[in-house]
Amino acid sequence: MGDELQDNTFHIFWIPPDAEWLAAQLPDKNWAVWNDEGQPPFSFTVFSKWDEAIRYLRDVFDKNSYPEENWVPEGYD
């Protein structure tokens, strides 16, 4: 992952026991979201707006009934 992409990647929530969902702002200003369960390469979904990406992630979180303390979005308002 390039430095620019790495600097624009944010942890959103934990998946028990040791995985997470992430969001990254791409150079074209779109947002990619993915989880790191299993082995790379990881599949991802692209959104044109942050609001769409975070809403999608919250839906995934809620549908899986993860504990609320696992929802810890970082770095991007």
Side-chain angles (χ1 to χ4, degrees):
M1 184 181 305
D3 287 343
E4 181 180 354
L5 186 56
Q6 202 165 21
D7 290 345
N8 290 310
T9 298
F10 306 98
H11 164 79
I12 306 300
F13 68 87
W14 296 108
I15 305 168
D18 62 356
E20 64 183 318
W21 273 90
L22 302 138
Q25 189 173 35
L26 304 172
D28 65 3
K29 303 300 182 196
N30 286 323
W31 287 89
V33 300
W34 71 95
N35 72 57
D36 64 357
E37 284 185 301
Q39 299 297 315
F42 304 115
S43 62
F44 59 91
T45 303
V46 175
F47 298 90
S48 61
K49 296 180 182 173
W50 168 250
D51 291 348
E52 296 168 349
I54 199 72
R55 189 169 40 250
Y56 170 82
L57 291 167
R58 186 64 205 203
D59 286 347
V60 169
F61 184 84
D62 290 342
K63 286 177 183 173
N64 285 282
S65 300
Y66 294 125
E68 191 61 36
E69 62 266 16
N70 289 20
W71 180 259
V72 287
E74 68 173 8
Y76 191 89
D77 295 327

